[in-house]
Amino acid sequence: MSSFIKKLSQSHRDCPECPSPKLIHAFFESTLGLLFPDFASELLKEEDQIAEKIEELKHKLSRILIRNKHLHEGEGAEIASLFFEDLENVYDLLQQDVEAIYDGDPAAKSKTEIIRCYPGFYAVAAYRIAHSLHRLGVSLIPRMITEYSHSRTGVDIHPGAKIGERFCIDHATGIVIGETTVIGNCVKIYQGVTLGALSVDKDDADKKRHPTIEDYVVIYAGATILGGDTVIGHHSVIGGNVWITKSVPPHSKIYYQAKMYNPSSNETDTYIIKSQG
């Protein structure tokens, strides 16, 4: 038991250098509440209140980064300032995401409903905030934000992924978007989609391991697309439950065509690519 106590004591001595999940989750929720009052604990109706809140959150982020210099290579206060300078861009992208979800979902009665009720929006909001920190060279904290969202929504988006404008996740759950995924503009994906890697070899950690999805692609439920060299061409439609490890030309439709089993021919499901280009 004494050796076990020593191990725990050492882990507790080492831990103060790490920001607690509770602290990071609170910062994210406060930032999201600043951008969208639907998530705020109190409404900030005056401009000076907004300005004060921004300075408060900037100070909190600055302190977190200054206390955890091992998580970045810059100056904590400068990174915090750059993050809040980029926050308007994050806000504009999220507004476009809301528009895309509203335009693409007949069940959505209002944009307020999307913001307050749709886990897909929440997951994308967490991603965009985390991605901004990731781009500034901050490690661990962006992942803590997206994993917090993952635990609430079932959507796992790595903060290193690159996602364009008007991104729409419908019926969000069970979605995985890997670290080196590149997604263009006006892409829509449904539940159970995986954009993953063909290899989990540590030697490939710095390589592009995940697919590229070009503009105006729709990916239906359960589809799995793997590999860093795999490109889904623009304006393509990927059917449900397909497994793709090779590139697809633009304007394609990909789906499984189920056939009735015939013992004499021993037919199985057939993988179909229909090109419209």
Side-chain angles (χ1 to χ4, degrees):
M1 179 61 74
S2 61
S3 63
F4 179 49
I5 290 173
K6 287 181 179 179
K7 290 178 182 178
L8 294 181
S9 176
Q10 184 63 48
S11 69
H12 278 257
R13 285 198 298 270
D14 292 342
C15 193
E17 294 300 317
C18 301
S20 72
K22 184 177 180 180
L23 181 65
I24 300 304
H25 300 165
F27 171 78
F28 162 66
E29 292 282 6
S30 295
T31 303
L32 187 59
L34 170 68
L35 297 179
F36 295 93
D38 309 80
F39 296 102
S41 57
E42 61 176 334
L43 297 180
L44 309 174
K45 298 184 178 181
E46 303 297 331
E47 291 185 10
D48 60 341
Q49 291 179 294
I50 298 290
E52 289 174 6
K53 189 65 174 180
I54 290 174
E55 287 303 314
E56 174 192 329
L57 290 173
K58 187 188 299 183
H59 179 66
K60 286 183 178 179
L61 179 59
S62 178
R63 290 189 62 182
I64 291 170
L65 295 174
I66 289 171
R67 289 179 176 178
N68 296 276
K69 294 181 180 179
H70 60 293
L71 298 182
H72 58 88
E73 296 182 355
E75 294 295 328
E78 181 181 358
I79 292 173
S81 294
L82 290 172
F83 171 77
F84 280 92
E85 287 177 14
D86 188 48
L87 204 56
E88 183 176 2
N89 178 56
V90 171
Y91 176 76
D92 290 342
L93 285 170
L94 286 171
Q95 291 290 350
Q96 292 181 59
D97 297 330
V98 173
E99 290 273 358
I101 296 171
Y102 181 74
D103 292 344
D105 185 1
K109 304 303 186 232
S110 68
K111 293 176 184 176
T112 297
E113 178 185 358
I114 290 166
I115 294 169
R116 295 191 177 190
C117 305
Y118 279 44
F121 169 74
Y122 188 92
V124 173
Y127 156 76
R128 294 217 185 269
I129 290 170
H131 181 68
S132 180
L133 286 167
H134 178 85
R135 287 177 58 248
L136 292 170
V138 179
S139 63
L140 184 61
I141 292 172
R143 193 66 187 271
M144 293 170 74
I145 292 172
T146 55
E147 286 303 321
Y148 174 64
S149 170
H150 182 195
S151 70
R152 295 192 58 177
T153 65
V155 177
D156 182 2
I157 309 177
H158 195 286
K162 297 177 182 179
I163 301 177
E165 301 172 357
R166 292 182 62 83
F167 182 49
C168 175
I169 296 177
D170 202 357
H171 304 294
T173 191
I175 290 168
V176 177
I177 300 176
E179 178 183 16
T180 62
T181 303
V182 177
I183 297 176
N185 298 326
C186 304
V187 171
K188 183 175 185 179
I189 66 176
Y190 286 82
Q191 68 272 21
V193 167
T194 297
L195 305 178
L198 278 169
S199 169
V200 292
D201 193 325
K202 275 290 186 181
D203 292 337
D204 294 334
D206 296 326
K207 298 178 182 178
K208 188 178 187 307
R209 310 181 306 282
H210 305 91
T212 295
I213 312 298
E214 295 186 343
D215 299 346
Y216 296 96
V217 170
V218 178
I219 308 174
Y220 282 99
T224 297
I225 305 172
L226 306 178
D229 295 327
T230 303
V231 178
I232 305 301
H234 58 85
H235 294 86
S236 290
V237 176
I238 308 302
N241 298 314
V242 299
W243 177 280
I244 299 174
T245 58
K246 295 182 179 179
S247 294
V248 172
H251 297 279
S252 294
K253 287 186 178 179
I254 298 187
Y255 55 93
Y256 280 116
Q257 181 179 19
K259 296 181 178 180
M260 295 296 291
Y261 177 70
N262 185 335
S264 62
S265 63
N266 195 29
E267 290 191 59
T268 58
D269 290 355
T270 303
Y271 183 67
I272 302 294
I273 299 180
K274 180 181 179 182
S275 177
Q276 295 181 320

